Amino acid sequence: GNSVTQMEGPVTLSEEAFLTINCTYTATGYPSLFWYVQYPGEGLQLLLKATKADDKGSNKGFEATYRKETTSFHLEKGSVQVSDSAVYFCALRNGGSQGNLIFGKGTKLSVKP
Amino acid sequence: KAGVTQTPRYLIKTRGQQVTLSCSPISGHRSVSWYQQTPGQGLQFLFEYFSETQRNKGNFPGRFSGRQFSNSRSEMNVSTLELGDSALYLCASSPGDAHHGYTFGSGTRLTVV
């Protein structure tokens, strides 16, 4: 079946450090891949997405590249800020009308000044 | 453009009672999905409605049900509440295409006592 595996958290970084959150997936067919972010007490916000192999999604300094050969979609940011502290979820959605989002377990990021 | 609106934000119910949660999607979005978020199980898919028809269902007992109205607004109902139903319930809307990410609401925090 389809699944998403994320690196275990929590991740604690100092401001301006480089961020990588690993995400790998198992899926049949050609899924779309997403990163969502959840701030305390809020719902999920779409951070970025990629719909086919070699696509790079980017938003607010975050990037992730859809790697079909390694079935990965790692999230990166060159210089994190305190305001980036949140929980990050990697997700996939298979094509077709029956496709729901399948999430990883989330990675909590804390950025210290 | 208004986002996804969920009501109420917080709810406290007693075991054995039933509850109805409401979701108004983004204007023009015909797909509405529901997810349950708990610390132990993470984000789990409940069901999806598209144009008033349930087109996908997760692995939840029959106590969990939903419906969608002609204006795309959706409700989910949980009958005979159990303590384990305490969770954040998230609604998400999408235009319907598999390659679009969903836009999530802020959720309804349900506590069963």
Side-chain angles (χ1 to χ4, degrees):
Chain A
N2 300 327
S3 67
V4 175
T5 302
Q6 282 181 246
M7 62 186 288
E8 294 288 328
V11 174
T12 302
L13 295 173
S14 297
E15 207 165 21
E16 299 184 3
F18 184 85
L19 169 71
T20 299
I21 300 178
N22 290 337
C23 171
T24 57
Y25 68 91
T26 301
T28 55
Y30 303 94
S32 295
L33 301 174
F34 306 89
W35 277 100
Y36 282 86
V37 58
Q38 186 175 35
Y39 298 99
E42 298 185 12
L44 301 174
Q45 296 178 24
L46 177 63
L47 184 58
L48 52 85
K49 67 178 181 179
T51 59
K52 61 183 187 296
D54 299 325
D55 266 3
K56 177 186 282 189
S58 61
N59 185 27
K60 298 180 181 179
F62 291 90
E63 292 184 340
T65 300
Y66 189 142
R67 301 284 189 201
K68 189 168 175 60
E69 64 276 13
T70 54
T71 61
S72 65
F73 193 54
H74 305 321
L75 182 69
E76 297 182 335
K77 187 176 185 182
S79 176
V80 293
Q81 306 300 312
V82 172
S83 57
D84 294 327
S85 298
V87 181
Y88 292 82
F89 293 91
C90 184
L92 70 81
R93 185 181 182 187
N94 258 324
S97 62
Q98 302 292 316
N100 54 279
L101 285 168
I102 296 170
F103 288 92
K105 292 197 176 294
T107 302
K108 184 175 182 178
L109 170 67
S110 295
V111 180
K112 298 187 173 181
Chain B
K1 194 174 187 182
V4 177
T5 303
Q6 289 189 248
T7 56
R9 284 298 306 274
Y10 302 93
L11 207 48
I12 299 175
K13 290 287 188 179
T14 304
R15 270 183 305 174
Q17 287 187 313
Q18 74 160 12
V19 67
T20 299
L21 311 182
S22 180
C23 173
S24 294
I26 289 174
S27 177
H29 284 192
R30 293 196 293 164
S31 168
V32 174
S33 295
W34 290 88
Y35 290 81
Q36 181 196 65
Q37 186 178 25
T38 60
Q41 299 299 316
L43 283 152
Q44 294 187 285
F45 171 70
L46 282 154
F47 29 66
E48 179 190 13
Y49 287 85
F50 183 83
S51 294
E52 300 180 68
T53 300
Q54 186 183 88
R55 70 175 182 181
N56 199 3
K57 187 177 186 303
N59 190 26
F60 277 80
R63 300 185 296 106
F64 292 81
S65 63
R67 58 178 176 169
Q68 186 179 33
F69 302 94
S70 58
N71 62 358
S72 291
R73 190 178 70 85
S74 177
E75 291 180 346
M76 69 163 280
N77 184 276
V78 188
S79 62
T80 320
L81 284 165
E82 301 176 0
L83 294 179
D85 297 334
S86 295
L88 180 66
Y89 290 88
L90 293 165
C91 168
S93 77
S94 165
D97 182 89
H99 294 302
H100 282 86
Y102 283 107
T103 302
F104 282 80
S106 296
T108 294
R109 171 74 63 184
L110 172 65
T111 302
V112 182
V113 298

